[in-house]
Tab-separated table of all heavy atoms in Angstrom:
chain	number	residue	atom	x	y	z
A	247	LEU	N	-1.364	20.402	167.525
A	247	LEU	CA	-0.177	19.860	166.869
A	247	LEU	C	1.035	20.674	167.300
A	247	LEU	O	1.110	21.878	167.036
A	247	LEU	CB	-0.320	19.909	165.349
A	247	LEU	CG	0.909	19.453	164.542
A	247	LEU	CD1	1.245	17.987	164.831
A	247	LEU	CD2	0.685	19.666	163.044
A	248	PHE	N	1.971	20.017	167.975
A	248	PHE	CA	3.237	20.628	168.350
A	248	PHE	C	4.268	20.325	167.270
A	248	PHE	O	4.420	19.169	166.857
A	248	PHE	CB	3.732	20.086	169.692
A	248	PHE	CG	2.844	20.410	170.863
A	248	PHE	CD1	2.019	19.448	171.417
A	248	PHE	CD2	2.835	21.688	171.412
A	248	PHE	CE1	1.206	19.736	172.494
A	248	PHE	CE2	2.018	21.994	172.495
A	248	PHE	CZ	1.211	21.018	173.042
A	249	LEU	N	4.978	21.344	166.839
A	249	LEU	CA	5.986	21.198	165.792
A	249	LEU	C	7.303	21.774	166.307
A	249	LEU	O	7.387	22.965	166.626
A	249	LEU	CB	5.556	21.961	164.531
A	249	LEU	CG	4.253	21.493	163.883
A	249	LEU	CD1	3.696	22.566	162.965
A	249	LEU	CD2	4.482	20.199	163.116
A	250	ASP	N	8.316	20.916	166.379
A	250	ASP	CA	9.611	21.341	166.917
A	250	ASP	C	10.603	21.549	165.775
A	250	ASP	O	11.185	20.593	165.279
A	250	ASP	CB	10.128	20.299	167.909
A	250	ASP	CG	11.413	20.736	168.602
A	250	ASP	OD1	11.780	21.929	168.482
A	250	ASP	OD2	12.046	19.898	169.260
A	251	GLU	N	10.760	22.796	165.344
A	251	GLU	CA	11.689	23.146	164.259
A	251	GLU	C	11.499	22.211	163.062
A	251	GLU	O	12.447	21.563	162.607
A	251	GLU	CB	13.137	23.060	164.766
A	251	GLU	CG	13.453	23.953	165.940
A	251	GLU	CD	13.942	25.339	165.546
A	251	GLU	OE1	13.862	25.678	164.346
A	251	GLU	OE2	14.399	26.078	166.426
A	252	PRO	N	10.294	22.124	162.502
A	252	PRO	CA	10.014	21.093	161.490
A	252	PRO	C	10.730	21.271	160.164
A	252	PRO	O	10.768	20.334	159.361
A	252	PRO	CB	8.498	21.207	161.302
A	252	PRO	CG	8.178	22.633	161.644
A	252	PRO	CD	9.118	22.972	162.766
A	253	THR	N	11.290	22.453	159.899
A	253	THR	CA	11.959	22.669	158.605
A	253	THR	C	13.420	23.068	158.778
A	253	THR	O	14.045	23.544	157.828
A	253	THR	CB	11.234	23.764	157.790
A	253	THR	OG1	11.322	25.016	158.493
A	253	THR	CG2	9.764	23.419	157.582
A	254	ALA	N	13.991	22.830	159.945
A	254	ALA	CA	15.330	23.358	160.244
A	254	ALA	C	16.405	22.847	159.297
A	254	ALA	O	17.374	23.551	159.020
A	254	ALA	CB	15.702	23.024	161.686
A	255	SER	N	16.263	21.626	158.787
A	255	SER	CA	17.306	21.041	157.936
A	255	SER	C	16.889	20.937	156.476
A	255	SER	O	17.522	20.211	155.699
A	255	SER	CB	17.674	19.645	158.457
A	255	SER	OG	18.096	19.703	159.804
A	256	LEU	N	15.846	21.667	156.086
A	256	LEU	CA	15.302	21.516	154.740
A	256	LEU	C	15.684	22.681	153.829
A	256	LEU	O	15.897	23.803	154.284
A	256	LEU	CB	13.777	21.414	154.811
A	256	LEU	CG	13.207	20.259	155.640
A	256	LEU	CD1	11.693	20.277	155.569
A	256	LEU	CD2	13.753	18.925	155.159
A	257	ASP	N	15.712	22.392	152.522
A	257	ASP	CA	15.962	23.449	151.551
A	257	ASP	C	14.670	24.247	151.339
A	257	ASP	O	13.593	23.854	151.818
A	257	ASP	CB	16.490	22.871	150.232
A	257	ASP	CG	15.510	21.927	149.548
A	257	ASP	OD1	14.275	22.107	149.692
A	257	ASP	OD2	15.971	21.007	148.857
A	258	PRO	N	14.749	25.386	150.650
A	258	PRO	CA	13.564	26.242	150.518
A	258	PRO	C	12.362	25.551	149.886
A	258	PRO	O	11.227	25.776	150.307
A	258	PRO	CB	14.060	27.396	149.646
A	258	PRO	CG	15.515	27.492	149.967
A	258	PRO	CD	15.963	26.068	150.146
A	259	SER	N	12.584	24.687	148.892
A	259	SER	CA	11.467	24.005	148.243
A	259	SER	C	10.762	23.068	149.207
A	259	SER	O	9.523	23.072	149.317
A	259	SER	CB	11.972	23.231	147.022
A	259	SER	OG	10.917	22.499	146.438
A	260	ALA	N	11.531	22.262	149.929
A	260	ALA	CA	10.937	21.336	150.901
A	260	ALA	C	10.274	22.108	152.037
A	260	ALA	O	9.234	21.684	152.551
A	260	ALA	CB	12.012	20.394	151.439
A	261	THR	N	10.872	23.229	152.415
A	261	THR	CA	10.280	24.061	153.471
A	261	THR	C	8.905	24.556	153.054
A	261	THR	O	7.948	24.528	153.845
A	261	THR	CB	11.199	25.251	153.795
A	261	THR	OG1	12.410	24.757	154.376
A	261	THR	CG2	10.533	26.214	154.771
A	262	ARG	N	8.769	25.002	151.807
A	262	ARG	CA	7.466	25.476	151.317
A	262	ARG	C	6.427	24.356	151.375
A	262	ARG	O	5.256	24.590	151.718
A	262	ARG	CB	7.601	26.011	149.887
A	262	ARG	CG	8.254	27.388	149.805
A	262	ARG	CD	8.076	27.999	148.424
A	262	ARG	NE	8.716	27.223	147.381
A	262	ARG	CZ	9.986	27.378	147.007
A	262	ARG	NH1	10.740	28.278	147.605
A	262	ARG	NH2	10.496	26.640	146.033
A	263	GLU	N	6.845	23.138	151.031
A	263	GLU	CA	5.911	22.007	151.059
A	263	GLU	C	5.441	21.727	152.488
A	263	GLU	O	4.252	21.483	152.726
A	263	GLU	CB	6.581	20.765	150.470
A	263	GLU	CG	6.830	20.871	148.969
A	263	GLU	CD	7.637	19.709	148.426
A	263	GLU	OE1	8.346	19.049	149.228
A	263	GLU	OE2	7.567	19.448	147.209
A	264	ILE	N	6.357	21.757	153.438
A	264	ILE	CA	5.997	21.521	154.842
A	264	ILE	C	5.086	22.630	155.346
A	264	ILE	O	4.086	22.381	156.032
A	264	ILE	CB	7.256	21.420	155.715
A	264	ILE	CG1	8.091	20.202	155.323
A	264	ILE	CG2	6.883	21.364	157.204
A	264	ILE	CD1	7.401	18.879	155.501
A	265	GLU	N	5.405	23.875	154.998
A	265	GLU	CA	4.579	24.993	155.456
A	265	GLU	C	3.161	24.905	154.882
A	265	GLU	O	2.192	25.278	155.554
A	265	GLU	CB	5.239	26.317	155.096
A	265	GLU	CG	6.494	26.592	155.920
A	265	GLU	CD	7.091	27.968	155.660
A	265	GLU	OE1	6.572	28.694	154.780
A	265	GLU	OE2	8.080	28.315	156.332
A	266	ALA	N	3.042	24.399	153.658
A	266	ALA	CA	1.706	24.232	153.070
A	266	ALA	C	0.893	23.219	153.865
A	266	ALA	O	-0.313	23.410	154.085
A	266	ALA	CB	1.827	23.798	151.608
A	267	VAL	N	1.535	22.148	154.319
A	267	VAL	CA	0.838	21.153	155.130
A	267	VAL	C	0.442	21.757	156.476
A	267	VAL	O	-0.667	21.516	156.980
A	267	VAL	CB	1.712	19.897	155.325
A	267	VAL	CG1	1.012	18.904	156.254
A	267	VAL	CG2	2.021	19.231	153.989
A	268	ILE	N	1.328	22.535	157.068
A	268	ILE	CA	1.015	23.169	158.354
A	268	ILE	C	-0.192	24.097	158.206
A	268	ILE	O	-1.086	24.113	159.064
A	268	ILE	CB	2.240	23.943	158.882
A	268	ILE	CG1	3.367	22.959	159.230
A	268	ILE	CG2	1.872	24.777	160.114
A	268	ILE	CD1	4.696	23.632	159.524
A	269	ARG	N	-0.254	24.834	157.109
A	269	ARG	CA	-1.424	25.705	156.873
A	269	ARG	C	-2.691	24.878	156.726
A	269	ARG	O	-3.776	25.307	157.142
A	269	ARG	CB	-1.186	26.558	155.630
A	269	ARG	CG	-0.128	27.643	155.811
A	269	ARG	CD	-0.124	28.604	154.619
A	269	ARG	NE	0.932	29.589	154.750
A	269	ARG	CZ	2.141	29.475	154.185
A	269	ARG	NH1	2.421	28.405	153.440
A	269	ARG	NH2	3.050	30.410	154.356
A	270	ALA	N	-2.583	23.688	156.119
A	270	ALA	CA	-3.755	22.820	155.972
A	270	ALA	C	-4.252	22.348	157.335
A	270	ALA	O	-5.468	22.290	157.573
A	270	ALA	CB	-3.417	21.623	155.074
A	271	PHE	N	-3.334	22.017	158.229
A	271	PHE	CA	-3.726	21.673	159.594
A	271	PHE	C	-4.484	22.835	160.235
A	271	PHE	O	-5.535	22.654	160.846
A	271	PHE	CB	-2.491	21.357	160.448
A	271	PHE	CG	-2.052	19.929	160.438
A	271	PHE	CD1	-0.997	19.517	159.648
A	271	PHE	CD2	-2.668	18.998	161.262
A	271	PHE	CE1	-0.563	18.198	159.654
A	271	PHE	CE2	-2.251	17.676	161.283
A	271	PHE	CZ	-1.195	17.273	160.473
A	272	ASP	N	-3.916	24.020	160.097
A	272	ASP	CA	-4.524	25.219	160.684
A	272	ASP	C	-5.921	25.443	160.110
A	272	ASP	O	-6.886	25.705	160.857
A	272	ASP	CB	-3.614	26.420	160.408
A	272	ASP	CG	-4.096	27.688	161.078
A	272	ASP	OD1	-4.582	27.623	162.231
A	272	ASP	OD2	-3.997	28.765	160.454
A	273	ALA	N	-6.059	25.308	158.792
A	273	ALA	CA	-7.356	25.512	158.143
A	273	ALA	C	-8.380	24.467	158.577
A	273	ALA	O	-9.584	24.740	158.596
A	273	ALA	CB	-7.189	25.476	156.624
A	274	ALA	N	-7.887	23.270	158.960
A	274	ALA	CA	-8.788	22.197	159.400
A	274	ALA	C	-9.198	22.353	160.863
A	274	ALA	O	-9.976	21.546	161.373
A	274	ALA	CB	-8.126	20.847	159.184
A	275	GLY	N	-8.672	23.384	161.531
A	275	GLY	CA	-9.076	23.655	162.906
A	275	GLY	C	-8.130	23.146	163.975
A	275	GLY	O	-8.425	23.254	165.170
A	276	THR	N	-6.977	22.608	163.573
A	276	THR	CA	-5.985	22.155	164.553
A	276	THR	C	-5.219	23.353	165.104
A	276	THR	O	-4.790	24.218	164.348
A	276	THR	CB	-4.992	21.167	163.907
A	276	THR	OG1	-5.699	19.992	163.495
A	276	THR	CG2	-3.893	20.769	164.868
A	277	LYS	N	-5.059	23.405	166.399
A	277	LYS	CA	-4.241	24.435	167.032
A	277	LYS	C	-2.776	24.126	166.762
A	277	LYS	O	-2.281	23.041	167.084
A	277	LYS	CB	-4.502	24.457	168.539
A	277	LYS	CG	-3.472	25.234	169.366
A	277	LYS	CD	-3.648	26.727	169.226
A	277	LYS	CE	-2.668	27.447	170.170
A	277	LYS	NZ	-2.910	28.897	170.193
A	278	ILE	N	-2.050	25.058	166.162
A	278	ILE	CA	-0.636	24.898	165.854
A	278	ILE	C	0.198	25.581	166.933
A	278	ILE	O	-0.014	26.761	167.240
A	278	ILE	CB	-0.282	25.506	164.484
A	278	ILE	CG1	-1.103	24.847	163.367
A	278	ILE	CG2	1.211	25.391	164.207
A	278	ILE	CD1	-0.849	23.384	163.167
A	279	VAL	N	1.138	24.828	167.501
A	279	VAL	CA	2.140	25.387	168.416
A	279	VAL	C	3.490	24.976	167.861
A	279	VAL	O	3.839	23.793	167.871
A	279	VAL	CB	1.965	24.870	169.853
A	279	VAL	CG1	2.973	25.551	170.791
A	279	VAL	CG2	0.544	25.097	170.356
A	280	MET	N	4.262	25.925	167.338
A	280	MET	CA	5.485	25.593	166.622
A	280	MET	C	6.683	26.342	167.177
A	280	MET	O	6.636	27.556	167.376
A	280	MET	CB	5.349	25.921	165.135
A	280	MET	CG	6.552	25.479	164.316
A	280	MET	SD	6.339	25.706	162.543
A	280	MET	CE	6.528	27.475	162.422
A	281	ALA	N	7.757	25.604	167.410
A	281	ALA	CA	9.021	26.203	167.819
A	281	ALA	C	9.883	26.447	166.595
A	281	ALA	O	10.001	25.581	165.723
A	281	ALA	CB	9.753	25.278	168.791
A	282	THR	N	10.469	27.631	166.522
A	282	THR	CA	11.373	27.947	165.420
A	282	THR	C	12.299	29.076	165.837
A	282	THR	O	12.000	29.842	166.757
A	282	THR	CB	10.599	28.336	164.139
A	282	THR	OG1	11.514	28.534	163.062
A	282	THR	CG2	9.805	29.615	164.341
A	283	HIS	N	13.446	29.175	165.150
A	283	HIS	CA	14.281	30.371	165.297
A	283	HIS	C	14.268	31.175	163.996
A	283	HIS	O	14.978	32.167	163.867
A	283	HIS	CB	15.728	30.000	165.684
A	283	HIS	CG	16.439	29.156	164.674
A	283	HIS	ND1	16.874	27.883	164.944
A	283	HIS	CD2	16.812	29.390	163.401
A	283	HIS	CE1	17.476	27.383	163.877
A	283	HIS	NE2	17.448	28.289	162.919
A	284	ASN	N	13.425	30.740	163.044
A	284	ASN	CA	13.358	31.355	161.722
A	284	ASN	C	12.365	32.513	161.739
A	284	ASN	O	11.156	32.300	161.842
A	284	ASN	CB	12.947	30.280	160.703
A	284	ASN	CG	12.973	30.771	159.284
A	284	ASN	OD1	12.431	31.822	158.971
A	284	ASN	ND2	13.593	30.003	158.403
A	285	LEU	N	12.872	33.726	161.622
A	285	LEU	CA	12.012	34.903	161.707
A	285	LEU	C	10.997	34.953	160.568
A	285	LEU	O	9.827	35.283	160.773
A	285	LEU	CB	12.865	36.176	161.694
A	285	LEU	CG	13.867	36.333	162.839
A	285	LEU	CD1	14.667	37.616	162.669
A	285	LEU	CD2	13.166	36.327	164.185
A	286	GLY	N	11.436	34.618	159.357
A	286	GLY	CA	10.523	34.634	158.220
A	286	GLY	C	9.403	33.627	158.384
A	286	GLY	O	8.236	33.913	158.071
A	287	GLN	N	9.730	32.463	158.884
A	287	GLN	CA	8.720	31.431	159.100
A	287	GLN	C	7.729	31.862	160.176
A	287	GLN	O	6.518	31.626	160.055
A	287	GLN	CB	9.396	30.128	159.500
A	287	GLN	CG	8.473	28.940	159.532
A	287	GLN	CD	9.247	27.653	159.634
A	287	GLN	OE1	9.880	27.371	160.659
A	287	GLN	NE2	9.238	26.873	158.559
A	288	ALA	N	8.219	32.496	161.213
A	288	ALA	CA	7.324	32.996	162.263
A	288	ALA	C	6.331	33.998	161.683
A	288	ALA	O	5.140	33.969	162.011
A	288	ALA	CB	8.136	33.644	163.380
A	289	ARG	N	6.804	34.857	160.801
A	289	ARG	CA	5.913	35.840	160.161
A	289	ARG	C	4.884	35.151	159.271
A	289	ARG	O	3.709	35.528	159.241
A	289	ARG	CB	6.729	36.819	159.318
A	289	ARG	CG	7.563	37.836	160.090
A	289	ARG	CD	8.357	38.668	159.084
A	289	ARG	NE	9.244	39.619	159.691
A	289	ARG	CZ	8.926	40.879	159.980
A	289	ARG	NH1	7.707	41.322	159.725
A	289	ARG	NH2	9.815	41.702	160.520
A	290	ARG	N	5.330	34.131	158.528
A	290	ARG	CA	4.442	33.475	157.567
A	290	ARG	C	3.363	32.623	158.233
A	290	ARG	O	2.232	32.570	157.756
A	290	ARG	CB	5.257	32.585	156.603
A	290	ARG	CG	6.138	33.342	155.635
A	290	ARG	CD	6.704	32.428	154.571
A	290	ARG	NE	7.575	31.383	155.095
A	290	ARG	CZ	8.877	31.521	155.296
A	290	ARG	NH1	9.472	32.686	155.042
A	290	ARG	NH2	9.610	30.517	155.753
A	291	LEU	N	3.707	31.959	159.308
A	291	LEU	CA	2.808	30.949	159.873
A	291	LEU	C	2.163	31.337	161.194
A	291	LEU	O	1.204	30.696	161.618
A	291	LEU	CB	3.573	29.627	160.070
A	291	LEU	CG	4.137	28.962	158.818
A	291	LEU	CD1	4.872	27.679	159.193
A	291	LEU	CD2	3.048	28.661	157.804
A	292	GLY	N	2.671	32.351	161.852
A	292	GLY	CA	2.198	32.644	163.193
A	292	GLY	C	1.116	33.703	163.264
A	292	GLY	O	1.071	34.628	162.458
A	293	ASP	N	0.233	33.521	164.227
A	293	ASP	CA	-0.704	34.577	164.605
A	293	ASP	C	-0.184	35.338	165.816
A	293	ASP	O	-0.413	36.531	165.962
A	293	ASP	CB	-2.081	33.988	164.935
A	293	ASP	CG	-2.734	33.358	163.719
A	293	ASP	OD1	-2.781	34.020	162.672
A	293	ASP	OD2	-3.184	32.201	163.803
């Protein structure tokens, strides 16, 4: 799953919801490749 700045225009609440879905993809075994300029998001979601 490629994700191109998926939360760039979202508020913090909506961002948390999207990140929860991304974690579900990861837990289901999907390889996540995500572009972001958000340092906090990179820390939270990246390996």
Side-chain angles (χ1 to χ4, degrees):
L247 176 62
F248 296 104
L249 299 161
D250 185 12
E251 301 270 10
T253 64
S255 303
L256 301 182
D257 62 31
S259 176
T261 294
R262 284 193 297 272
E263 291 173 338
I264 295 298
E265 290 185 356
V267 176
I268 294 170
R269 289 190 183 96
F271 271 100
D272 185 39
T276 296
K277 165 75 175 187
I278 301 297
V279 184
M280 185 174 75
T282 185
H283 61 243
N284 185 311
L285 299 178
Q287 189 168 68
R289 288 177 183 269
R290 291 190 297 272
L291 298 179
D293 295 310

